[in-house]
Amino acid sequence: MRPHNGFYGPFGGQFVAETLIPALDELEESFNSVRKKKKFIGEMKRYLHDFAGRPTPVYFAKNISEKYGINIYLKREDLLHTGAHKINNAIGQAILTKYMGKKRIIAETGAGQHGVAVATAAAMFGFDCTIYMGSIDAERQMPNVKKMKLLGTEVKLVDTGLKTLKDAVSAALKDWVFNVAHTHYLIGSAVGPHPFPEIVAYFQSVIGRESREYFESLGFLPDFVIACVGGGSNAIGMFHDFITSDVKLIGVEAGGTSLNPGENSATLAVGKKGIFQGTLSYLLQNENFQMEDVHSISAGLDYPGVGPQHAYLRDRGRAEYVHVFDNRALHAFKELTGLEGIIPALESSHALAFVIDNRDRFKGKNVLICLSGRGDKDFGIIEKVNLEDI
Ligand SMILES: Cc1ncc(COP(=O)(O)O)c(C=O)c1O
């Protein structure tokens, strides 16, 4: 899916301070030039293979499939180096940064998975690196904060707003405005001003491509492809090679504790159109167009916006977007752990939960779920809930 003048239908664009326009132009030009270069593609493939551990398997989860009467296939992004799909985009953009001749990388992080992926790529390629993280997220994802520091990255805690992902993005954008000449902002999801959503989707499209190749080798395509949606990078990467097929695409947002204002991150369920962090999309905002508080048990889904490609796919009717509440994500987390010996990230647990909780709709179908990450980062959260009661 390519944007037209930076827009996907009415969504996307570049709503940023004038000082950033030259940097976005330079980024777009560099990206369009390297994406066709054999040398760049070869380098990217080599790091993804030798360093990150691609291709990841598609695993037929026999036990949970039998229990629920659904053929559940898992795309195992959790097996990647650093534990989530975020490394695909971090490596791709780090190589792009090298080609642009910049020496410093900044990024935001929510769950810490993107932060760890960027800190890892920065260590390997020798960039100076600063990661912005909301102080509440830092508290709930402490192992990842420690990893980023070990990797030699400066972690700047953000104490403004809700002290979560959106505040970290705002802080990173502010840094970028002042340091744009030598700094690349390595954004972690398919959000922000054009060309970021396109770039992130491009680097994550490997998830969908490998998945499609796997099913083609079996001689059929899945009936459903399902992924969780925070900003939307694992989902858009997963959907990428299925958009022109008739496979049903479902994105699962965080319903938090309820759909009441401030208690969820279900942007496409209850949000309204607006401009936020450089792009036009759906947003969680009140009647005075002020950003609403957000909540999700998973730090990676705790974001009041959503990437413009998802807004477009939803309004065009090509993909369906649903939500799952915290306690049902915890239930799916427990089910996959106990039945398959795979501890999923709480983010990915949302995608599985939608399938389990709507089992009649999926009975007998082939359902491919993006297992976007592993759950060790979530132990701090899991310790605070009584899984016996879930
Ligand atoms: C494991 C995992 N899955 C999903 C997400 C959500 O991000 P996105 O919607 O960009 O895939 C995150 C974000 O940190 C994550 O860590």
Side-chain angles (χ1 to χ4, degrees), residues 93-341:
Q93 284 201 54
I95 301 174
L96 181 57
T97 307
K98 215 169 56 146
Y99 277 66
M100 286 192 293
K102 296 195 172 184
K103 304 275 183 253
R104 178 174 178 256
I105 284 179
I106 56 169
E108 83 298 335
T109 195
Q113 288 305 116
H114 176 56
V116 170
V118 173
T120 299
M124 196 232 316
F125 288 110
F127 293 116
D128 281 344
C129 183
T130 302
I131 305 285
Y132 290 90
M133 186 172 198
S135 54
I136 299 236
D137 285 343
E139 204 178 297
R140 48 184 180 171
Q141 310 278 216
M142 191 42 77
N144 279 343
V145 177
K146 290 183 180 161
K147 280 186 204 166
M148 287 185 269
K149 289 184 175 168
L150 262 180
L151 288 159
T153 278
E154 178 189 24
V155 181
K156 283 200 174 165
L157 298 187
V158 180
D159 268 318
T160 49
L162 286 178
K163 306 173 191 177
T164 57
L165 184 55
K166 88 167 167 46
D167 310 295
V169 175
S170 297
L173 278 169
K174 210 179 282 175
D175 178 321
W176 204 34
V177 170
F178 287 110
N179 298 298
V180 69
H182 64 291
T183 297
H184 174 58
Y185 177 16
L186 205 165
I187 206 160
S189 193
V191 297
H194 175 73
F196 281 119
E198 187 185 12
I199 291 176
V200 176
Y202 172 82
F203 288 130
Q204 293 294 2
S205 63
V206 65
I207 308 175
R209 192 159 52 252
E210 286 175 6
S211 300
R212 185 161 177 146
E213 278 165 16
Y214 169 82
F215 278 96
E216 279 175 352
S217 77
L218 298 183
F220 64 94
L221 290 182
D223 300 299
F224 292 88
V225 167
I226 303 184
C228 67
V229 177
S233 71
N234 86 95
I236 202 69
M238 185 59 150
F239 292 172
H240 198 270
D241 271 44
F242 295 100
I243 288 176
T244 54
S245 71
D246 55 10
V247 170
K248 293 187 182 62
L249 308 176
I250 302 180
V252 185
E253 295 189 307
T257 49
S258 87
L259 285 190
N260 293 331
E263 295 182 352
N264 63 78
S265 313
T267 312
L268 287 166
V270 291
K272 298 190 236 21
K273 280 180 198 160
I275 290 168
F276 181 56
Q277 295 180 332
T279 195
L280 194 157
S281 186
Y282 282 91
L283 303 175
L284 293 172
Q285 53 188 326
N286 64 23
E287 58 284 0
N288 297 323
F289 304 102
Q290 295 299 311
M291 296 308 295
E292 206 67 84
D293 288 356
V294 272
H295 163 78
S296 167
I297 193 161
S298 59
L301 302 186
D302 207 345
Y303 184 68
V306 66
Q309 292 135 317
H310 290 293
Y312 179 58
L313 288 176
R314 203 280 297 268
D315 281 13
R316 248 182 62 194
R318 176 60 192 99
E320 176 186 352
Y321 293 86
V322 296
H323 57 273
V324 153
F325 295 117
D326 287 349
N327 60 345
R328 299 314 298 163
L330 284 167
H331 174 256
F333 173 92
K334 188 168 127 180
E335 283 292 87
L336 196 69
T337 303
L339 286 169
E340 297 288 352

Side-chain angles (χ1 to χ4, degrees), residues 65 68-72 223-224 359-367:
S65 292
Y68 290 101
I70 304 161
N71 298 323
I72 296 179
D223 300 299
F224 292 88
R359 61 197 76 157
D360 290 345
R361 177 176 175 189
F362 298 109
K363 258 268 124 73
K365 302 286 186 202
N366 295 310
V367 177

Side-chain angles (χ1 to χ4, degrees), residues 324-383:
V324 153
F325 295 117
D326 287 349
N327 60 345
R328 299 314 298 163
L330 284 167
H331 174 256
F333 173 92
K334 188 168 127 180
E335 283 292 87
L336 196 69
T337 303
L339 286 169
E340 297 288 352
I342 297 172
I343 302 175
L346 282 174
E347 289 81 4
S348 329
S349 303
H350 284 71
L352 177 64
F354 183 73
V355 177
I356 291 179
D357 290 352
N358 295 278
R359 61 197 76 157
D360 290 345
R361 177 176 175 189
F362 298 109
K363 258 268 124 73
K365 302 286 186 202
N366 295 310
V367 177
L368 170 63
I369 299 172
C370 186
L371 200 68
S372 53
R374 64 179 91 123
D376 5 354
K377 70 180 179 58
D378 294 317
F379 287 171
I381 301 164
I382 297 298
E383 268 166 13

